[in-house]
Amino acid sequence: MTTTAEHRSDRSVKGTRTSAYARPRVVGIKTEVSLITGGQVRYVNLDSAASTPPLVKVRQAVDDFLPWYSSVHRGAGYKSRLSTHLYEHARDAVMRFVGTTPKTHVVVFVRNTTEALNLLAHRTLLEDDELILTTKMEHHSNLLPWFRKKHEIVQLTEDGRIDMADLEQRLYQHEGKVKLITISAASNVTGLVNDVHQVARLAHAHGAKIAVDAAQLTPHRRISMGAYGTADSIDIVAFSGHKLYSPYGAGALVVPATLFADGDPMLVGGGTACLVTSSGIKWATGPDLEEAGSPNVLGVVAMAAALEELMRFGMERVAEHERELTRYAIQRLQGVPGLTLRGPAWESVLAGEEDRLGVFCFTMEGQSYGKVAAVLANEWGVGVRSGCFCAHLYVAHLLGISEEDASEARERLLTGLPVELPGMVRASLGLANSKDDIDRLASGLMAIARGEIRAQYAHNEHGDLEPVGDKHAFEAHGMSFLA
């Protein structure tokens, strides 16, 4: 049953927040879901760190464009020319959003940050004595591509920050041989915002370039690459549309124009060659070289619409809204018995001394992370995420798991033995969230802490926890979209 407090909370979301009507609207904020205990409740989405629903303006932009959609480049028809214009105009929107210029950089459209960083790794050629530096904080998208090359992993401080002393020591140790430092602008686990411009100064002082995985930062904070060639400028940026209110399958890699001036593309096919003869190939240049085949024009138009809307509203206003919610969430979560917020202490955020994204990872005494997430979903209508968040090295560090224990777990997995992987619960904020959402989360967690769990839970065939006897109403609902 939906409690009176929940009903009151859901009503208040409609009109009590002074900034509610000024913020860009998000699709699906009034969607209701069924609870295992009966009744329906407004769905609370606290999983923005994984992906975001589209902005209403983005959905409208897609709907408006669909009648005019056509394949881009080389088409003589009006629709093709219009589609090409919008597709190429989107590169300008990306550059304005990250604060760079076509005089120095090019924008390559990709599916997501993962593809962008794999492309960058493919294009980063090393001499025998050169290497890459990445960090133990990284999402797998900015870690695994570099495992295929000579690399070193910068360590963390005990509380989970990047160890800048270790980074600097490695730069001196490999003086002039570090070709690239690749680092997250913000953590998808702890919400830490790294000073990438400080890292840029170190990188450039030692002859290296810096690449920034901005997937987690771009929906929440302003990013500026800076004037290319200056001491603290960012050389390369990658981000995904699906994390900034445009889940239509497009992302961007912004790189110095000279990096993609020539060389072999990662994917080959239509559009990547200027001329093909039986005796050889003349490759295209610039972004065309890396955008093989028919591109995701709809996704690119949608992403550009999201960027334009965020820039219109102002990223500082986005940040202020989320800072207020972050402080409120810290206070509410710290009041839940047996709950431990992971990562560096949050007191500095409450005191206004540190800016951190609204990404909260926690564990609860006596409860598995999977069960906490399942109870919140099925009994409270709150969507969170649980596990290791594609950041195994970082999560292991935060949970104090030794290298020996991690290696033992890997060996068990390789031999087919069962392994109970450690993990946490993650709640993350976005533009659509309000204090009411945080109140619902806190109420659910307080109930769990008191042992007030209303259903029995068991693993399904996919290994996910779900209520025993659940008739999979969501599956029936999902099938309605295919009818």
Side-chain angles (χ1 to χ4, degrees), residues 6 20 40 111 127 129 134 154 224 286 293 346 353 357 402 433 476:
E6 289 166 30
Q40 288 191 311
R111 291 179 300 164
E127 301 293 338
D129 56 352
T134 186
V154 176
S224 177
W346 288 87
E353 299 168 353
L357 304 187
S402 67
N433 291 124

Side-chain angles (χ1 to χ4, degrees), residues 350-425:
L350 290 176
E353 299 168 353
E354 180 183 13
D355 189 21
R356 207 181 299 183
L357 304 187
V359 180
F360 313 97
C361 279
F362 56 87
T363 53
M364 290 192 72
E365 186 177 352
Q367 300 289 348
S368 72
Y369 56 85
K371 187 171 182 179
V372 171
V375 172
L376 288 173
N378 290 283
E379 301 182 22
W380 292 88
V382 176
V384 296
R385 192 156 293 257
S386 64
C388 293
F389 323 113
C390 297
H392 290 182
L393 295 184
Y394 195 25
V395 170
H397 178 88
L398 294 173
L399 292 176
I401 298 169
S402 67
E403 294 286 349
E404 293 76 14
D405 289 342
S407 296
E408 181 182 342
R410 178 178 178 274
E411 292 302 320
R412 288 179 63 85
L413 281 173
L414 290 174
T415 56
L417 294 173
V419 176
E420 185 174 350
L421 294 175
M424 300 182 285
V425 182

Side-chain angles (χ1 to χ4, degrees), residues 6 9-10 42 44-47 325 328-330 332-334 336 339 341 358 360-362 364 372-373 375-377 380-385 425-429 433-449:
E6 289 166 30
S9 175
D10 289 349
R42 179 182 59 85
V44 170
N45 180 15
L46 292 175
D47 198 18
L325 292 184
Y328 184 71
I330 296 167
R332 293 302 315 269
L333 292 174
Q334 286 181 337
V336 177
L339 186 148
L341 280 169
F360 313 97
C361 279
F362 56 87
M364 290 192 72
V372 171
V375 172
L376 288 173
W380 292 88
V382 176
V384 296
R385 192 156 293 257
V425 182
R426 181 182 70 191
S428 50
L429 303 173
N433 291 124
S434 66
K435 290 182 178 179
D436 299 320
D437 296 341
I438 296 166
D439 288 340
R440 177 101 67 83
L441 170 67
S443 296
L445 293 171
M446 288 293 287
I448 294 171

Side-chain angles (χ1 to χ4, degrees), residues 151-185:
H151 70 280
E152 289 185 4
I153 298 176
V154 176
Q155 297 302 303
L156 306 173
T157 61
E158 186 175 351
D159 66 350
R161 301 177 188 273
I162 293 174
D163 189 335
M164 296 300 293
D166 183 55
L167 170 61
E168 192 165 10
Q169 187 273 328
R170 291 173 192 271
L171 286 167
Y172 278 113
Q173 178 185 348
H174 304 290
E175 186 64 53
K177 302 302 181 184
V178 175
K179 187 157 189 175
L180 181 72
I181 299 174
T182 179
I183 184 174
S184 294

